Amino acid sequence: MENEKINIVIVDDHPIVIEGLRMMLNSQPFFNVAESFVSGSETMSYIRSHKVDIILLDIALPDANGTELCREIKKISPETSVIMFSNRSERSIIMQSIQNGASGYLLKNTSINELVICIKGALSGDIVFCNETKQIISRPSQNDVPIPRLTKREKQILQLVAQGKTSNIIAEELFLSPLTVDTHRKNLLQKFHAKNSTELINRAVQQRLIEE
């Protein structure tokens, strides 16, 4: 047990970030970067058949939102500690990550010393934050909008609204009544605290729920 290494997986869409982390972590005794991935789908496939102690997970991935991916990882592998590792510093995203089962949230300017301490803390069952993240969550911002939970239908309609389609066209494409589409649109505005479709789309883009 003394010589058993902690298996770490890095998930980030920037290879240079992955290589930098791999070098730093592998230089530490008892740490082993077992694998790295640039997408959520690859990560999910891997954890279904491998034991992973720690996952360092970015928010913005080409095929997934990191906060949602964290929740899916915890369903499959509840014993794995997921630490979000991102440039995104919005308080709402930090808190959403913790709600979805993350063991911590670190910004990418975190020092290697702080990273090591946080990994060890997460393995001990603590919720860990870098110093800058601690400062962010200690002063709530009224402008922060939490990432809303959307139904499958709401996600479909959101994508079509972002394409500039009217309620009538969306209704035809999805075989719904225009009234039902309008109801979904109103619900989306409420969930995003948006006054109109433009604000709705902007906030959905900021939350990485749709592409620009």
Side-chain angles (χ1 to χ4, degrees), residues 141-154:
S141 168
Q142 293 182 342
N143 296 324
D144 269 342
V145 178
I147 297 175
R149 288 202 176 176
L150 305 181
T151 64
K152 187 178 178 182
R153 182 66 80 192
E154 284 170 343

Side-chain angles (χ1 to χ4, degrees), residues 5-25:
K5 291 209 169 190
I6 294 159
N7 282 320
I8 300 172
V9 165
I10 303 166
V11 186
D12 195 291
D13 62 342
H14 293 97
I16 194 166
V17 173
I18 289 175
E19 286 312 307
L21 281 171
R22 186 194 299 277
M23 287 177 63
M24 288 190 294
L25 292 170

Side-chain angles (χ1 to χ4, degrees), residues 162-179:
Q163 292 168 22
K165 295 183 177 177
T166 64
S167 292
N168 285 336
I169 293 173
I170 294 171
E172 285 178 22
E173 288 192 17
L174 299 180
F175 303 103
L176 300 170
S177 72
L179 181 61

Side-chain angles (χ1 to χ4, degrees), residues 119-143:
I119 288 174
K120 289 178 178 176
L123 287 169
S124 298
D126 297 335
I127 303 293
V128 296
F129 301 102
C130 62
N131 288 329
E132 194 173 337
T133 310
K134 286 177 187 173
Q135 291 173 11
I136 292 165
I137 61 176
S138 70
R139 48 173 197 273
S141 168
Q142 293 182 342
N143 296 324

